[in-house]
Amino acid sequence: MASNFVENQDQNNRVETNGEDIPLSPSVVSYLGVDTFIAAILLSTWDNVVGPKLCHVWYGNHVDSQKMKEKCILHVANLTGRNLFDDDGEGEGIINYKLLLLPQHDVVINCYIFRGCLENGRPTLYAFSILLPTKNLDDFMPIYQICETRVVEVVAKFRLLQLKEFVTAIQNIYYELKAFVLHIDALFNEKFSSAIEISDTLLFKPCSREETFFLERAITSHLQTCRCSIVIGGDIDHVNLMIRTLAIFNTEKELRCSRIIQKIDEQVKQSYLPDLYLQGLLLKLEALPIDDIARSQRPTTIISLHNGEVYRTALPDQQAAITQGILGIDLTKIWTNTNISFNLSPQMLTIVEESAWLIEEFLREIAALPYIEQIRTEYVEHFKQKIDTKTCALIEFIEAERKLHDTVNIDDIKNYLSIRRDSDLIAIFAASEYYKPGLCSWLNGQPSYRGYLPSGTNH
């Protein structure tokens, strides 16, 4: 039976555990100083001479270090190390993801395998492993995708740090891991706690014409940016009311990656978290971290209750290129050790001036209904089914056209879906990303589609 071990980096030999709890060498242990549900993060590798090797372990805090026994840490390092040996290593830029359950240790391992290098420059496989108690698995799964996105960025920076100066790479990745843990922990603790009732939204309240015009643009842009929005304002109740209204159009899974403002936590009110679907901030537009918002994997709508304006960062077909460009700048800053100027201002956002006809019709018809929760709730569900039907029809139409012509004509799509405005078409395209990720990016490369999506007006 294979024994678990850790290399003593001070003496450059490995220590056999033989099932016993042997303290880890201080040189391979760090504390992030964060009270988090994540028990530890491990970095392990495969060495052709000594086999599986624990490079470093980062504990959330000292309490976690006492709960997570060394024997468990070494067992995980041994297990992931041997998985690296068995992994075929698909390519230099490929990251493989694994979710492992260890009932004997009551722990779940979220493992990210990637290709890095040893001190002599020879390539080898590494693994970042996130350890959390089994009891937290159900709450962790909804934010798994966000976790995956953030770890990919950490891996890219770690690989670059290895190439730049191998001996300091582990030390320098500390702050990236701490920021990652703070982000994931906030998502874990601040998600929506209950279902949204229509009586708690603007869809159950009489609105003036001006308020309706603002709501039309807010919902339209929310749908156009893949149901990802930030609401800013000066009053907690008003901000949360708008968030609950937009939440009506999000799935239950998406709401578990969203949050409302908590009155009991002043710090949470002011902190932006990337890649949430919905969140509220008690900030003005000028105080928003536009750089961080642009890094999100999805485009973002910004709804300002201060001035009644609606903004967006990009459209679905543009966001991937923007995110890759920003990550490229981050990596360049690490490699050159320079502070490259990269400051996005609110003036670079797009003002949303046109609402979708589908939304105008929806709000007009729901306003005519009696103020009975069941009736209005059923009408909202009917409208969401209508959007889904058009989305599925769009995907089927595009797939059929691709087989026949390998190109898609926008006018044909609008006629087929009975769509009146460009803003309606953008909302349907964005909805298609839920079923067919990357569809908008593919369409943007088609001659009949390139440059079609309106960019709006910059303010």
Side-chain angles (χ1 to χ4, degrees), residues 214-215 217-222 225 228-233 239 242-243 246 278-281 283 285 288 300-312 352:
F214 177 52
L215 189 57
R217 290 179 293 126
I219 297 176
T220 294
S221 188
H222 180 62
T225 55
C228 181
S229 296
I230 301 169
V231 180
I232 58 175
V239 171
M242 177 61 78
I243 290 175
L246 299 175
L278 281 167
Q279 62 183 305
L281 298 171
L283 296 174
L285 185 66
L288 285 178
T300 303
T301 290
I302 300 173
I303 300 167
S304 175
L305 302 184
H306 293 293
N307 60 8
E309 291 288 358
V310 179
Y311 311 87
R312 65 167 175 251
V352 178

Side-chain angles (χ1 to χ4, degrees), residues 19 26 59 74 89 94 125 132 142 153 171 174 194 203 225 228-230 237 272 311 347-348 351 371 374:
Y59 290 110
L74 298 177
I94 302 299
L125 289 174
L132 60 145
E153 294 181 1
Q171 175 186 346
Y174 170 87
S194 60
L203 301 179
T225 55
C228 181
S229 296
I230 301 169
D237 292 332
Y272 166 76
Y311 311 87
Q347 284 70 34
M348 302 182 70
I351 294 181
Y371 287 93
Q374 183 178 357

Side-chain angles (χ1 to χ4, degrees), residues 7 62 84 126-127 165 197 252 259 363:
E7 181 181 1
H62 287 273
L84 293 177
Y126 284 85
E165 190 174 357
E197 300 292 340
E252 182 179 349
R259 68 175 186 178
L363 291 178

Side-chain angles (χ1 to χ4, degrees), residues 18-60:
N18 294 322
E20 301 295 332
D21 280 339
I22 296 180
L24 299 176
S25 168
S27 62
V28 300
V29 176
S30 297
Y31 296 94
L32 298 173
V34 179
D35 290 323
T36 172
F37 73 98
I38 295 176
I41 299 178
L42 271 64
L43 177 64
S44 54
T45 187
W46 173 267
D47 189 295
N48 287 335
V49 177
V50 298
K53 170 185 172 183
L54 174 65
C55 300
H56 208 83
V57 54
W58 294 267
Y59 290 110

